[in-house]
Amino acid sequence: MEVSINSDDARNLLRRLMNSPIAPGKYSYFINVGTDHILDALDQNYFRGQLAEGLGCFKYLEGDYGSGKTQFINSLAQRASEQDVITAIVSVGIECPFNSPSAIFRATMRSFQPPFEAQLDGSDDKGLDVLIDSWIRRRINQLGAEPGNNVPDLVQRQIEEQIGGLWRGAPDPQMASALTALSQRLLKLACGAITSGSDYELIAWVKGDNARSTTLRNMGLFEPVRDDNAFRRLKTVIAFLRTRMAYQGFLIAFDEGSRITSFRRGSVKQRQAIENLLTMINQNAEGEFGGIMFLYAATQDFRSEVISKYRALQDRIGSTAFSKGSPLVPLINLEETNSREVIYRIGERLLAVFSQAHNKKWNQEIQKSNMKEIVSTQEKNWFETPKPRFFVYQYCRFLGQQLQRECSISTEQATDFVSDNEPPLDGEHG
């Protein structure tokens, strides 16, 4: 899928790529190459299909460090957002160890992001409160009014009827009450009310913080999130967003990058982390969560060191990777999508981004020759087709030099450049 980019987005994209050798967040899809056939299948089958019917799924994304896992997740989130699917991308690590359901809950509540069309003024703000607030403000607009002091009473009542009311049978009654109270309060704020300290307490409680106060107790909110109620609360949040706000699908992606620390810190924690993953897979398949695509991304070490030791998890992930003949299997192997052709196409995208950002007209013949020299040298140095991240890291720096003086380079010059610009071997994501 070819994409176009404006000058501002091009400059923001390059700023991220030049400052840090990790996937450039929401701009990732501009330079995503080689996985469109997978993204298309997931989009068509899930974001435009099964999730809206309340059917969930699990995907396991595998790839070595630098193979583009985070890039893929961000590109998938872009597709989801275009279909009004709610996204949450969670980084597994110190702040979110996967052996703790309560940590998973808190991280997810902070990572929820409204669909693109619902993002207020293009804001990148995240969080369950941001998601609910954006829906309320969009709903006010849909009913012919503008947020502020002059929202008609009729509009307010229509929205109150949609988000309020008695909720019997919620997985977690306290969370159900809190979500109703929070959405009603955010409606008042969108209609001109003044923020109070109790608003922040309520938001903190809903997002999983250990918030306690007289005001919260008076609302019946006395039990903080714990490991034994975290998944019930997550189910309650999903059910609220589906039934009260008509969101029909959710993508919750856990990105472990090059780290599998959640599974290495002792056998007890490892077993608990596996149990948490199996709980999400099994209960989602049974419809208990309702319309979620859970995705877990890790390196090949996870398969050899962890999955192989747990038969139940091995059975659910399987050994057959995504292909056009098997588009709905859980396993997606990014190593199979990389090739020299893919690297060249990424380079062409980067040439276009640099051109747009700097109003630069490249000599295509010179730059294609240079690109081949860079890639050939990388292949010789690393004894394989370069990983997308490593190529992007070096090629962006190379094009930065070419902006100053465009010229052809020799094999010797390419070798010197690649050797002098070694990519870092660590980073947040893969």
Side-chain angles (χ1 to χ4, degrees):
M1 181 180 69
E2 294 301 320
V3 293
S4 59
I5 187 170
N6 61 46
S7 298
D8 288 340
D9 283 340
R11 284 189 287 269
N12 287 330
L13 169 55
L14 291 183
R15 192 174 299 116
R16 294 196 182 195
L17 290 176
M18 300 296 281
N19 288 340
S20 181
I22 61 175
K26 69 176 184 179
Y27 301 102
S28 293
Y29 76 100
F30 285 120
I31 58 171
N32 187 67
V33 170
T35 59
D36 278 340
H37 63 296
I38 305 176
L39 296 171
D40 289 343
L42 297 179
D43 188 352
Q44 291 294 331
N45 287 286
Y46 298 107
F47 300 153
R48 302 173 193 245
Q50 293 186 22
L51 298 188
E53 299 168 8
L55 301 176
C57 67
F58 169 73
K59 300 298 175 185
Y60 172 68
L61 181 65
E62 181 176 273
D64 199 3
Y65 174 71
S67 62
K69 296 185 296 297
T70 305
Q71 173 92 354
F72 179 89
I73 290 171
N74 284 320
S75 299
L76 183 62
Q78 174 69 22
R79 296 289 192 97
S81 186
E82 290 172 355
Q83 300 306 319
D84 216 33
V85 169
I86 303 303
T87 63
I89 301 175
V90 176
S91 297
V92 177
I94 295 175
E95 294 185 4
C96 180
F98 212 75
N99 60 283
S100 168
S102 58
I104 293 171
F105 175 84
R106 283 190 292 270
T108 303
M109 293 306 101
R110 282 163 173 70
S111 301
F112 273 130
Q113 190 162 26
F116 180 75
E117 290 187 359
Q119 293 173 14
L120 303 176
D121 300 321
S123 171
D124 291 337
D125 291 345
K126 299 177 183 179
L128 180 60
D129 54 321
V130 173
L131 176 59
I132 295 173
D133 183 55
S134 71
W135 180 89
I136 289 171
R137 292 174 183 272
R138 183 163 59 159
R139 189 75 183 113
I140 291 172
N141 291 144
Q142 291 171 344
L143 294 172
E146 292 290 334
N149 294 321
N150 298 319
V151 178
D153 290 342
L154 178 60
V155 170
Q156 294 190 48
R157 285 198 300 273
Q158 283 184 268
I159 298 176
E160 284 174 349
E161 290 174 1
Q162 188 170 352
I163 58 180
L166 189 61
W167 185 358
R168 298 184 185 277
D172 189 277
Q174 283 190 56
M175 178 57 75
S177 298
L179 290 170
T180 301
L182 176 60
S183 58
Q184 290 174 335
R185 184 56 188 163
L186 290 175
L187 173 60
K188 295 298 183 184
L189 295 174
C191 295
I194 304 300
T195 303
S196 67
S198 59
D199 296 330
Y200 296 112
E201 293 174 350
L202 179 56
I203 290 171
W205 191 94
V206 166
K207 292 169 73 172
D209 289 346
N210 190 19
R212 300 173 186 270
S213 71
T214 301
T215 301
L216 292 173
R217 284 195 298 275
N218 290 339
M219 297 171 65
L221 309 179
F222 52 86
E223 190 176 61
V225 67
R226 302 190 311 264
D227 283 348
D228 62 354
N229 65 23
F231 286 142
R232 292 200 306 274
R233 291 200 171 172
L234 178 57
K235 293 173 188 176
T236 305
V237 170
I238 297 301
F240 182 86
L241 295 172
R242 283 184 67 86
T243 59
R244 303 296 171 97
M245 297 185 170
Y247 282 119
Q248 295 300 295
F250 305 83
L251 166 63
I252 302 179
F254 299 98
D255 187 4
E256 210 173 61
S258 60
R259 303 167 305 205
I260 56 173
T261 53
S262 299
F263 301 90
R264 283 179 169 165
R265 293 176 181 170
S267 60
V268 173
K269 289 187 176 182
Q270 184 181 88
R271 284 197 298 271
Q272 183 59 58
I274 295 298
E275 286 301 319
N276 293 339
L277 190 54
L278 286 171
T279 294
M280 285 189 281
I281 295 172
N282 295 339
Q283 295 184 4
N284 196 33
E286 294 165 2
E288 292 189 34
F289 283 97
I292 297 179
M293 176 189 288
F294 282 122
L295 182 149
Y296 198 95
T299 63
Q300 290 113 322
D301 290 343
F302 180 59
R303 173 178 288 275
S304 60
E305 297 181 17
V306 180
I307 295 176
S308 61
K309 298 177 183 178
Y310 293 88
R311 178 64 184 271
L313 185 58
Q314 191 171 12
D315 288 345
R316 283 155 182 79
I317 292 175
S319 58
T320 301
F322 176 97
S323 68
K324 291 185 178 179
S326 303
L328 302 182
V329 297
L331 175 59
I332 300 171
N333 188 345
L334 287 187
E335 296 298 322
E336 297 178 358
T337 67
N338 195 29
S339 66
R340 181 186 287 192
E341 179 189 1
V342 165
I343 295 299
Y344 285 156
R345 288 168 58 198
I346 294 174
E348 291 169 359
R349 290 277 180 94
L350 290 172
L351 276 170
V353 171
F354 268 87
S355 178
Q356 189 70 11
H358 296 282
N359 193 26
K360 171 72 174 180
K361 187 174 182 179
W362 296 108
N363 183 314
Q364 294 296 320
E365 185 175 345
I366 288 177
Q367 293 308 330
K368 286 182 180 180
S369 175
N370 289 344
M371 189 194 307
K372 289 181 179 179
E373 291 288 357
I374 294 290
V375 173
S376 178
T377 300
Q378 290 175 330
E379 288 176 331
K380 291 176 183 176
N381 283 11
W382 299 328
F383 305 104
E384 63 177 355
T385 300
K387 303 294 185 188
R389 175 184 292 183
F390 301 153
F391 169 75
V392 169
Y393 179 85
Q394 292 189 330
Y395 194 56
C396 281
R397 279 151 184 77
F398 175 76
L399 291 182
Q401 293 183 5
Q402 288 283 302
L403 285 173
Q404 308 301 320
R405 179 174 174 270
E406 186 175 19
C407 62
S408 297
I409 61 169
S410 64
T411 299
E412 183 179 0
Q413 288 171 320
T415 301
D416 290 341
F417 177 84
V418 170
S419 299
D420 291 340
N421 289 272
E422 283 291 328
L425 295 178
D426 58 355
E428 287 195 3
H429 302 99

